[in-house]
Amino acid sequence: MFNNLSDRLTLTFKNLRSKGRVTDSDINATIRDIRVALLDADVSLPVVRAFTSRVRERALGAEVHEALNPGQQVVKIVNDELVEILGGQTRPIRLAKQPPTVIMLAGLQGSGKTTLAGKLGYWLKQQGHTPMLVAADLQRPNAVTQLEVVGERAGVPVFAPERGNVAGYDAAVEYGSGTRGYGDPITVARQGVAEAQRQQRDVVIVDTAGRLAIDTELMQQAADIRSAIEPDEVLFVVDAMIGQAAVDTAVAFSDGVDFTGVVLSKLDGDARGGAALSIAHVTGRPIMFASTGEQTKDFEVFHPDRMASRILD
Ligand code: GDP
C-alpha cells in the first residue's frame, strides 16, 4: 500500500532537498506534483485541497525563505501536514472507569471485522487485559462459528448464542420486520456484555453484522446495538482496498452509528490507498489501528507520524 505514492513523492522531494535556495516557483511546482500524486493515489479532492493549501501557505511564508536549508524545510512542512491529515496524534483506546470497557465493531461485510475482533483481543491480552468477544453478527450463521475460530486462535473466550439455535439465527435475519428472540443481535450483545461483567473480563469486543452495501436496516441495527450497550468505543472497520468507496462508506457509518475511531484493514494490499488517507480528515475521527494481513498478529496501533514517514521516505 502507498508504494506508488511514496515513490512519486520521493522523486519530487529529491530535487528539492538538494536545493540551497528555493524560489516561489519551485514551491509551486512541488505543490503541483504533490497534488497530482495524491489525486492519482485516490486521495479525495477536498482532502487534497485542504492539504495543498496548508502546505502552500506555510511554504511560501517566511518559514521556508529564512530556513537554513529551504528544500528540507518544505519536505518537513509536507510531513507535518500529512501527519495532521492522518489525525495528528495516536489516539489510544478510551478505557471505561468501570470495567468492562465495551468496544463495538461496525463496518461492511467483508471489511475484516471478525478477523479484527481476534487481533484486537489478542493484542489487548498482550497488554495485560482480559478481553472477551461477543458474536452479535447473526446475519450469517457462519459468522458466529467464524468468530469462535478466531477467538480460539487468539486465545480469547467468545460469547455466542446457543449453538444450533437455527431458529434464533433466522429471527436475527428477519430483524426489522418485528421479529425478536434469542437470536436477536441486540439481546445477544447485551447478554454478552453482562456475561463479561459477570466473569470480570475488563474489555468486551462486540462483533456486529455487516452487509455488502450500506442499507438503512443494517445501519438501524448497528445504531440499536449502540444504544443498547452504550460502548466506550465504536470502531469502524474499513477495507482500505475499496478505493473511494471507503470514504463514502465512512461518511455513511459516521452518520449512522457515530463511530469513535477507525480501523484500516487490508493495508497489506497493493491498492493505491489514498482513500484511507482521506478518512480521518473527512469524518473527523481518528484512525486508531491498522490491520495488515490475515493472521492474528497482523495488527498495529496506527501512528500518524510513522505512517507519514513511511509514505514520504
Ligand atoms: P467481516 O465480514 O467484516 O467480519 O470480515 P472478515 O473478518 O470475515 O474478513 C473478510 C476477509 O478478509 C477474510 O477472508 C479475511 O481473512 C480477510 N482479511 C481480514 N483482514 C485482513 C487484512 O488485514 N489483510 C488481508 N489481506 N486480508 C484480511
mmCIF file of all heavy atoms in Angstrom, residues 107-116 119 137 140 146 207-208 210 237 264-269 290-294 298, ligand 1:
data_model
loop_
_atom_site.group_PDB
_atom_site.id
_atom_site.type_symbol
_atom_site.label_atom_id
_atom_site.label_comp_id
_atom_site.label_asym_id
_atom_site.label_seq_id
_atom_site.Cartn_x
_atom_site.Cartn_y
_atom_site.Cartn_z
ATOM 1 N N GLY A 107 -19.076 -2.061 10.384
ATOM 2 C CA GLY A 107 -18.485 -1.950 9.041
ATOM 3 C C GLY A 107 -19.190 -2.881 8.082
ATOM 4 O O GLY A 107 -20.026 -3.698 8.496
ATOM 5 N N LEU A 108 -18.859 -2.758 6.820
ATOM 6 C CA LEU A 108 -19.492 -3.604 5.807
ATOM 7 C C LEU A 108 -19.045 -5.048 5.941
ATOM 8 O O LEU A 108 -17.976 -5.329 6.488
ATOM 9 C CB LEU A 108 -19.129 -3.110 4.403
ATOM 10 C CG LEU A 108 -19.709 -1.781 3.955
ATOM 11 C CD1 LEU A 108 -19.246 -1.466 2.533
ATOM 12 C CD2 LEU A 108 -21.235 -1.793 4.009
ATOM 13 N N GLN A 109 -19.858 -5.956 5.410
ATOM 14 C CA GLN A 109 -19.476 -7.357 5.360
ATOM 15 C C GLN A 109 -18.193 -7.490 4.531
ATOM 16 O O GLN A 109 -18.075 -6.865 3.481
ATOM 17 C CB GLN A 109 -20.601 -8.155 4.712
ATOM 18 C CG GLN A 109 -20.377 -9.640 4.716
ATOM 19 C CD GLN A 109 -21.569 -10.361 4.098
ATOM 20 O OE1 GLN A 109 -22.719 -10.038 4.396
ATOM 21 N NE2 GLN A 109 -21.308 -11.328 3.249
ATOM 22 N N GLY A 110 -17.265 -8.270 5.056
ATOM 23 C CA GLY A 110 -16.016 -8.473 4.311
ATOM 24 C C GLY A 110 -14.958 -7.425 4.601
ATOM 25 O O GLY A 110 -13.854 -7.487 4.081
ATOM 26 N N SER A 111 -15.304 -6.450 5.449
ATOM 27 C CA SER A 111 -14.328 -5.388 5.723
ATOM 28 C C SER A 111 -13.199 -5.884 6.630
ATOM 29 O O SER A 111 -12.130 -5.280 6.677
ATOM 30 C CB SER A 111 -15.021 -4.178 6.362
ATOM 31 O OG SER A 111 -15.601 -4.545 7.591
ATOM 32 N N GLY A 112 -13.456 -6.975 7.343
ATOM 33 C CA GLY A 112 -12.416 -7.527 8.206
ATOM 34 C C GLY A 112 -12.745 -7.394 9.691
ATOM 35 O O GLY A 112 -11.854 -7.498 10.538
ATOM 36 N N LYS A 113 -14.023 -7.207 10.026
ATOM 37 C CA LYS A 113 -14.429 -7.034 11.433
ATOM 38 C C LYS A 113 -14.114 -8.245 12.294
ATOM 39 O O LYS A 113 -13.540 -8.109 13.364
ATOM 40 C CB LYS A 113 -15.947 -6.792 11.523
ATOM 41 C CG LYS A 113 -16.398 -5.410 11.191
ATOM 42 C CD LYS A 113 -17.887 -5.254 11.439
ATOM 43 C CE LYS A 113 -18.722 -6.254 10.676
ATOM 44 N NZ LYS A 113 -18.574 -6.201 9.222
ATOM 45 N N THR A 114 -14.561 -9.408 11.813
ATOM 46 C CA THR A 114 -14.404 -10.606 12.632
ATOM 47 C C THR A 114 -12.925 -10.912 12.850
ATOM 48 O O THR A 114 -12.501 -11.216 13.970
ATOM 49 C CB THR A 114 -15.136 -11.789 11.957
ATOM 50 O OG1 THR A 114 -16.488 -11.377 11.733
ATOM 51 C CG2 THR A 114 -15.114 -13.023 12.818
ATOM 52 N N THR A 115 -12.157 -10.804 11.769
ATOM 53 C CA THR A 115 -10.718 -11.011 11.878
ATOM 54 C C THR A 115 -10.137 -10.021 12.883
ATOM 55 O O THR A 115 -9.323 -10.370 13.733
ATOM 56 C CB THR A 115 -10.051 -10.791 10.491
ATOM 57 O OG1 THR A 115 -10.778 -11.526 9.527
ATOM 58 C CG2 THR A 115 -8.614 -11.218 10.493
ATOM 59 N N LEU A 116 -10.597 -8.783 12.791
ATOM 60 C CA LEU A 116 -10.086 -7.745 13.678
ATOM 61 C C LEU A 116 -10.415 -8.044 15.141
ATOM 62 O O LEU A 116 -9.607 -7.774 16.031
ATOM 63 C CB LEU A 116 -10.662 -6.374 13.303
ATOM 64 C CG LEU A 116 -10.162 -5.328 14.290
ATOM 65 C CD1 LEU A 116 -8.798 -4.820 13.900
ATOM 66 C CD2 LEU A 116 -11.135 -4.227 14.492
ATOM 67 N N LYS A 119 -7.745 -10.115 16.414
ATOM 68 C CA LYS A 119 -6.475 -9.386 16.500
ATOM 69 C C LYS A 119 -6.464 -8.435 17.698
ATOM 70 O O LYS A 119 -5.500 -8.359 18.450
ATOM 71 C CB LYS A 119 -6.266 -8.560 15.228
ATOM 72 C CG LYS A 119 -6.039 -9.395 13.995
ATOM 73 C CD LYS A 119 -5.987 -8.493 12.769
ATOM 74 C CE LYS A 119 -5.634 -9.294 11.525
ATOM 75 N NZ LYS A 119 -5.485 -8.465 10.344
ATOM 76 N N ASP A 137 -22.979 -10.760 15.377
ATOM 77 C CA ASP A 137 -23.227 -10.797 13.935
ATOM 78 C C ASP A 137 -24.032 -12.047 13.660
ATOM 79 O O ASP A 137 -23.489 -13.143 13.560
ATOM 80 C CB ASP A 137 -21.898 -10.826 13.163
ATOM 81 C CG ASP A 137 -22.115 -10.979 11.649
ATOM 82 O OD1 ASP A 137 -23.289 -11.129 11.232
ATOM 83 O OD2 ASP A 137 -21.126 -10.942 10.904
ATOM 84 N N ARG A 140 -25.253 -13.890 9.211
ATOM 85 C CA ARG A 140 -24.864 -15.144 8.561
ATOM 86 C C ARG A 140 -24.580 -16.141 9.675
ATOM 87 O O ARG A 140 -23.790 -15.849 10.569
ATOM 88 C CB ARG A 140 -23.571 -14.950 7.756
ATOM 89 C CG ARG A 140 -23.657 -13.969 6.630
ATOM 90 C CD ARG A 140 -22.276 -13.762 6.017
ATOM 91 N NE ARG A 140 -21.335 -13.165 6.956
ATOM 92 C CZ ARG A 140 -20.097 -13.576 7.164
ATOM 93 N NH1 ARG A 140 -19.617 -14.617 6.519
ATOM 94 N NH2 ARG A 140 -19.314 -12.961 8.021
ATOM 95 N N GLN A 146 -17.263 -18.501 12.756
ATOM 96 C CA GLN A 146 -16.011 -17.831 12.360
ATOM 97 C C GLN A 146 -15.396 -17.083 13.553
ATOM 98 O O GLN A 146 -14.197 -17.148 13.785
ATOM 99 C CB GLN A 146 -16.293 -16.861 11.215
ATOM 100 C CG GLN A 146 -15.037 -16.370 10.512
ATOM 101 C CD GLN A 146 -15.327 -15.163 9.620
ATOM 102 O OE1 GLN A 146 -16.464 -14.942 9.199
ATOM 103 N NE2 GLN A 146 -14.313 -14.374 9.350
ATOM 104 N N ASP A 207 -18.756 -7.983 18.036
ATOM 105 C CA ASP A 207 -18.753 -8.056 16.571
ATOM 106 C C ASP A 207 -20.195 -7.899 16.091
ATOM 107 O O ASP A 207 -21.095 -8.530 16.637
ATOM 108 C CB ASP A 207 -18.198 -9.439 16.155
ATOM 109 C CG ASP A 207 -17.932 -9.533 14.657
ATOM 110 O OD1 ASP A 207 -17.782 -8.482 14.006
ATOM 111 O OD2 ASP A 207 -17.864 -10.667 14.142
ATOM 112 N N THR A 208 -20.427 -7.059 15.121
ATOM 113 C CA THR A 208 -21.802 -6.867 14.629
ATOM 114 C C THR A 208 -21.889 -7.240 13.153
ATOM 115 O O THR A 208 -20.877 -7.411 12.488
ATOM 116 C CB THR A 208 -22.274 -5.406 14.800
ATOM 117 O OG1 THR A 208 -21.528 -4.565 13.904
ATOM 118 C CG2 THR A 208 -22.107 -4.918 16.221
ATOM 119 N N GLY A 210 -22.515 -7.051 9.138
ATOM 120 C CA GLY A 210 -22.309 -6.088 8.062
ATOM 121 C C GLY A 210 -23.067 -6.573 6.852
ATOM 122 O O GLY A 210 -23.543 -7.701 6.813
ATOM 123 N N VAL A 237 -14.587 -0.423 10.925
ATOM 124 C CA VAL A 237 -13.551 -1.175 10.220
ATOM 125 C C VAL A 237 -13.775 -1.008 8.727
ATOM 126 O O VAL A 237 -14.872 -1.257 8.225
ATOM 127 C CB VAL A 237 -13.620 -2.678 10.590
ATOM 128 C CG1 VAL A 237 -12.485 -3.447 9.923
ATOM 129 C CG2 VAL A 237 -13.575 -2.857 12.106
ATOM 130 N N LEU A 264 -8.206 0.734 9.779
ATOM 131 C CA LEU A 264 -7.960 0.481 8.358
ATOM 132 C C LEU A 264 -7.542 -0.962 8.220
ATOM 133 O O LEU A 264 -6.555 -1.385 8.821
ATOM 134 C CB LEU A 264 -6.821 1.374 7.849
ATOM 135 C CG LEU A 264 -7.058 2.885 7.855
ATOM 136 C CD1 LEU A 264 -5.798 3.590 7.363
ATOM 137 C CD2 LEU A 264 -8.247 3.249 6.989
ATOM 138 N N SER A 265 -8.291 -1.731 7.449
ATOM 139 C CA SER A 265 -7.885 -3.122 7.280
ATOM 140 C C SER A 265 -7.353 -3.342 5.878
ATOM 141 O O SER A 265 -7.559 -2.520 4.986
ATOM 142 C CB SER A 265 -9.034 -4.075 7.602
ATOM 143 O OG SER A 265 -9.964 -4.062 6.565
ATOM 144 N N LYS A 266 -6.632 -4.444 5.734
ATOM 145 C CA LYS A 266 -6.037 -4.859 4.454
ATOM 146 C C LYS A 266 -5.018 -3.832 3.943
ATOM 147 O O LYS A 266 -4.892 -3.615 2.754
ATOM 148 C CB LYS A 266 -7.128 -5.146 3.428
ATOM 149 C CG LYS A 266 -8.200 -6.080 4.005
ATOM 150 C CD LYS A 266 -9.132 -6.651 3.000
ATOM 151 C CE LYS A 266 -10.311 -7.306 3.732
ATOM 152 N NZ LYS A 266 -11.289 -7.863 2.826
ATOM 153 N N LEU A 267 -4.327 -3.222 4.864
ATOM 154 C CA LEU A 267 -3.279 -2.272 4.485
ATOM 155 C C LEU A 267 -2.086 -2.984 3.852
ATOM 156 O O LEU A 267 -1.180 -2.342 3.357
ATOM 157 C CB LEU A 267 -2.807 -1.479 5.701
ATOM 158 C CG LEU A 267 -3.504 -0.161 5.980
ATOM 159 C CD1 LEU A 267 -2.713 0.659 6.975
ATOM 160 C CD2 LEU A 267 -3.699 0.657 4.712
ATOM 161 N N ASP A 268 -2.109 -4.315 3.917
ATOM 162 C CA ASP A 268 -1.037 -5.071 3.277
ATOM 163 C C ASP A 268 -1.245 -5.178 1.768
ATOM 164 O O ASP A 268 -0.365 -5.603 1.036
ATOM 165 C CB ASP A 268 -0.958 -6.480 3.883
ATOM 166 C CG ASP A 268 -2.325 -7.179 3.918
ATOM 167 O OD1 ASP A 268 -3.296 -6.543 4.350
ATOM 168 O OD2 ASP A 268 -2.411 -8.345 3.502
ATOM 169 N N GLY A 269 -2.414 -4.782 1.285
ATOM 170 C CA GLY A 269 -2.716 -4.903 -0.141
ATOM 171 C C GLY A 269 -1.953 -3.881 -0.966
ATOM 172 O O GLY A 269 -1.283 -3.008 -0.422
ATOM 173 N N ALA A 290 -4.378 -0.413 12.496
ATOM 174 C CA ALA A 290 -4.269 -0.893 11.121
ATOM 175 C C ALA A 290 -4.164 -2.403 11.139
ATOM 176 O O ALA A 290 -3.503 -2.987 11.997
ATOM 177 C CB ALA A 290 -3.046 -0.281 10.451
ATOM 178 N N SER A 291 -4.860 -3.019 10.206
ATOM 179 C CA SER A 291 -4.836 -4.461 10.042
ATOM 180 C C SER A 291 -4.025 -4.740 8.795
ATOM 181 O O SER A 291 -4.270 -4.153 7.753
ATOM 182 C CB SER A 291 -6.272 -4.934 9.804
ATOM 183 O OG SER A 291 -6.656 -5.913 10.688
ATOM 184 N N THR A 292 -3.047 -5.637 8.912
ATOM 185 C CA THR A 292 -2.101 -5.769 7.807
ATOM 186 C C THR A 292 -1.932 -7.203 7.317
ATOM 187 O O THR A 292 -0.867 -7.558 6.825
ATOM 188 C CB THR A 292 -0.729 -5.220 8.237
ATOM 189 O OG1 THR A 292 -0.352 -5.904 9.446
ATOM 190 C CG2 THR A 292 -0.769 -3.735 8.514
ATOM 191 N N GLY A 293 -2.956 -8.027 7.486
ATOM 192 C CA GLY A 293 -2.843 -9.398 6.996
ATOM 193 C C GLY A 293 -3.918 -10.275 7.603
ATOM 194 O O GLY A 293 -4.757 -9.796 8.377
ATOM 195 N N GLU A 294 -3.881 -11.560 7.267
ATOM 196 C CA GLU A 294 -4.950 -12.451 7.726
ATOM 197 C C GLU A 294 -4.647 -13.103 9.068
ATOM 198 O O GLU A 294 -5.524 -13.693 9.679
ATOM 199 C CB GLU A 294 -5.204 -13.518 6.659
ATOM 200 C CG GLU A 294 -5.654 -12.883 5.346
ATOM 201 C CD GLU A 294 -6.242 -13.893 4.375
ATOM 202 O OE1 GLU A 294 -7.310 -14.442 4.688
ATOM 203 O OE2 GLU A 294 -5.621 -14.122 3.331
ATOM 204 N N ASP A 298 -1.160 -9.777 12.628
ATOM 205 C CA ASP A 298 -1.020 -8.746 11.587
ATOM 206 C C ASP A 298 -1.859 -7.522 11.947
ATOM 207 O O ASP A 298 -2.903 -7.253 11.337
ATOM 208 C CB ASP A 298 -1.454 -9.287 10.218
ATOM 209 C CG ASP A 298 -0.611 -10.459 9.773
ATOM 210 O OD1 ASP A 298 0.541 -10.546 10.223
ATOM 211 O OD2 ASP A 298 -1.107 -11.277 8.990
HETATM 212 P P1 GDP B 1 -16.222 -9.275 8.204
HETATM 213 O O1 GDP B 1 -17.272 -9.765 7.249
HETATM 214 O O2 GDP B 1 -16.197 -7.781 8.282
HETATM 215 O O3 GDP B 1 -16.290 -9.904 9.548
HETATM 216 O O4 GDP B 1 -14.796 -9.652 7.537
HETATM 217 P P2 GDP B 1 -13.835 -10.868 7.841
HETATM 218 O O5 GDP B 1 -13.110 -10.657 9.117
HETATM 219 O O6 GDP B 1 -14.572 -12.141 7.665
HETATM 220 O O7 GDP B 1 -12.770 -10.683 6.673
HETATM 221 C C1 GDP B 1 -13.105 -10.857 5.306
HETATM 222 C C2 GDP B 1 -11.906 -11.448 4.563
HETATM 223 O O8 GDP B 1 -10.814 -10.537 4.578
HETATM 224 C C3 GDP B 1 -11.381 -12.715 5.191
HETATM 225 O O9 GDP B 1 -11.017 -13.595 4.149
HETATM 226 C C4 GDP B 1 -10.161 -12.274 5.968
HETATM 227 O O10 GDP B 1 -9.192 -13.309 6.070
HETATM 228 C C5 GDP B 1 -9.652 -11.137 5.111
HETATM 229 N N1 GDP B 1 -8.928 -10.126 5.892
HETATM 230 C C6 GDP B 1 -9.301 -9.508 7.033
HETATM 231 N N2 GDP B 1 -8.388 -8.592 7.426
HETATM 232 C C7 GDP B 1 -7.398 -8.630 6.504
HETATM 233 C C8 GDP B 1 -6.170 -7.898 6.345
HETATM 234 O O11 GDP B 1 -5.793 -7.014 7.121
HETATM 235 N N3 GDP B 1 -5.414 -8.208 5.252
HETATM 236 C C9 GDP B 1 -5.792 -9.162 4.356
HETATM 237 N N4 GDP B 1 -5.005 -9.399 3.313
HETATM 238 N N5 GDP B 1 -6.952 -9.851 4.471
HETATM 239 C C10 GDP B 1 -7.736 -9.602 5.530
#
